[in-house]
Amino acid sequence: MEMGNLLDVLIFIIIGGVSWYINQLTGRINRLEERINSTRETFIHKDEMSVMMGRIEDRFARLEDLLHRLMEK
């Protein structure tokens, strides 16, 4: 009879430890997801980046044309 109670307590401790560990992992995952989301919000989006790159390429093209005109003179 005592062996049965000891086994029950041991199983209870194991289940409690595993559930505590899983709770800690899910809490950490939630914190990491919040951090990732805030990081995504601070970085520039792809469409904004492509617009900026288009502007830069246009400016380089105008500079190149200006240099060609200056070299012809």
Side-chain angles (χ1 to χ4, degrees), residues 18-40:
V18 170
S19 63
W20 175 82
Y21 183 71
I22 291 172
N23 187 21
Q24 295 297 317
L25 286 178
T26 56
R28 185 170 185 196
I29 289 170
N30 289 336
R31 287 191 302 274
L32 290 174
E33 285 177 347
E34 290 173 7
R35 186 177 286 174
I36 287 171
N37 288 336
S38 67
T39 303
R40 283 183 187 150

Side-chain angles (χ1 to χ4, degrees), residues 45-62:
H45 295 286
K46 281 187 177 181
D47 56 344
E48 293 173 356
M49 182 63 140
S50 62
V51 169
M52 288 176 58
M53 288 302 293
R55 289 180 186 168
I56 291 171
E57 289 172 356
D58 290 341
R59 289 181 183 170
F60 276 127
R62 285 188 289 177

